Amino acid sequence: MRFFVIGDVSVDLMYFVDAMPGPGEETPAQRALIKPGGAAATVAANLASLGHKVALAARVGTGPFREAALANLKRVGVDLSHLQEDEERPTSSILVFVIAGGERTMVSSASASRHLDAAAFKARALDQVDAVVVSAYALAGGPSREYTLKVLAAAAKRRLPVFADLGTGAIRAAGEHLLEDLRGVDYLLMNQHELAALTGEASISGGVERLRTYGIERAVVKLGALGSMVVTPETEALVEPYAVDDVIDSTGAGDAYTAAFAATVMEGRDLLEAARRANVAGALVATHVGAQGYLVKPEDLELAASSK
Ligand SMILES: OC[C@H]1O[C@H](O)[C@H](O)[C@@H]1O
């Protein structure tokens, strides 16, 4: 399959701490690492690792992080012909705090990733594409939003399936227009906090109901250690997690989930099987350090058979 992925590419400055320091406090980190990241870049790297052809539309900038952000993408053969270069802003970098148990907290810099130049997108870029994956960071506002809306319009004309993945930072930055921008996407993937932040509804059922008023019929709610939930007009099912007992860093687990889900759906399997396989992908990534510290392989997804 051929995917066109739009969104952020960045470097993650990762600090592993016992607990987050309070205001005015300092805490020592057990480890501090610089790793390639970015939600869209990580989805793209996993799709490529799963054996698909992937083009990434993203923007890098000035400063020392450009090469580190791109190294993995080049290694796994992501097509970077839609990558844009920004000479005024630095390559995006994200502060990632990982606390014991693997939960991560992030501080993101907008910089180059939010400035995709819409004029550079030509609809023929989708000629050889089977599906589009959008990271909500690309709809957070500014020039990248304009670029992404252009891609979504071109995808709609061609009836290409669109998978969209949310992020709390993106929801906050985008504000009111995000739901409208996502109108009619085929598959919306998010965690429970993101669903609540996007829709203003505390419950999953309330959130999904609201999504339907925007023509979003297929929603996937990632529930971490509890698995994930698939909600469509026909189905509402909790898909059991793939159990791993050595979770050390959840950074990028959601992106691997999205890549595995999209890949499985595009292979023609049903949504519950896609969620089972995606649960495996997310769980395996959470047992490694860094968003792209482990890229999912096709044989990994076969492990889903053991969680049926
Ligand atoms: O989804 C994880 C990614 O989100 C942020 O964009 C970080 O760069 C991190 O790699």
Side-chain angles (χ1 to χ4, degrees):
M1 286 289 155
R2 295 151 306 177
F3 290 88
F4 190 84
V5 180
I6 317 159
D8 52 325
V9 58
S10 64
V11 152
D12 292 344
L13 308 175
M14 308 191 72
Y15 294 85
F16 290 75
V17 295
D18 285 333
M20 291 292 285
E25 290 178 0
E26 180 182 334
T27 193
Q30 282 88 38
R31 274 200 287 183
L33 302 165
I34 298 180
K35 294 282 184 186
T42 302
V43 170
N46 277 288
L47 280 170
S49 173
L50 285 169
H52 299 284
K53 291 201 181 313
V54 193
L56 176 67
R59 193 166 170 102
V60 284
T62 58
F65 295 141
R66 183 185 178 284
E67 285 313 310
L70 298 179
N72 248 353
L73 300 172
K74 289 180 180 166
R75 190 173 59 76
V76 292
V78 171
D79 168 5
L80 296 177
S81 59
H82 297 275
L83 187 80
Q84 299 181 9
E85 304 276 347
D86 193 317
E87 284 167 16
E88 288 164 24
R89 299 168 191 86
T91 297
S92 298
S93 57
I94 315 287
L95 262 182
V96 184
F97 298 97
V98 184
I99 58 166
E103 196 183 18
R104 50 102 175 125
T105 302
M106 302 192 294
V107 181
S108 55
S109 78
S111 41
S113 270
R114 300 273 164 87
H115 288 81
L116 270 169
D117 174 15
F121 176 76
K122 305 280 176 266
R124 64 173 179 273
L126 300 185
D127 279 354
Q128 307 296 322
V129 164
D130 298 302
V132 171
V133 183
V134 178
S135 155
Y137 287 97
L139 287 166
S144 288
R145 177 182 176 221
E146 211 184 305
Y147 181 101
T148 307
L149 292 177
K150 237 175 131 177
V151 179
L152 291 178
K157 251 190 188 161
R158 286 157 197 252
R159 298 182 189 282
L160 294 179
V162 175
F163 297 81
D165 198 7
L166 293 181
T168 34
I171 297 167
R172 206 167 297 132
E176 293 291 301
H177 67 67
L178 186 55
L179 258 174
E180 192 53 56
D181 290 353
L182 291 168
R183 183 180 283 280
V185 300
D186 300 278
Y187 305 92
L188 183 61
L189 297 98
M190 69 225 114
N191 66 35
Q192 206 171 345
H193 304 294
E194 292 161 351
L195 176 62
L198 179 70
T199 61
E201 299 287 341
S203 68
I204 292 183
S205 53
V208 166
E209 204 50 48
R210 179 105 204 276
L211 293 180
R212 292 211 173 111
T213 66
Y214 285 83
I216 302 168
E217 301 279 358
R218 299 181 203 93
V220 178
V221 186
K222 305 171 194 174
L223 299 168
L226 298 177
S228 52
M229 190 165 229
V230 174
V231 189
T232 70
E234 302 81 35
T235 326
E236 181 168 332
L238 176 67
V239 179
E240 294 293 316
Y242 178 73
V244 286
D245 47 20
D246 44 357
V247 170
I248 46 175
D249 174 18
S250 62
T251 314
D255 305 324
Y257 183 108
T258 295
F261 184 87
T264 308
V265 169
M266 293 306 295
E267 283 162 12
R269 297 178 200 262
D270 69 44
L271 299 194
L272 297 186
E273 179 62 10
R276 266 191 294 274
R277 289 174 169 240
N279 281 347
V280 172
L284 293 182
V285 168
T287 64
H288 294 76
V289 168
Q292 297 171 28
Y294 185 75
L295 299 177
V296 186
K297 298 177 181 52
E299 57 270 28
D300 293 332
L301 303 189
E302 303 298 332
L303 294 168
S306 67
S307 64
K308 269 189 195 171

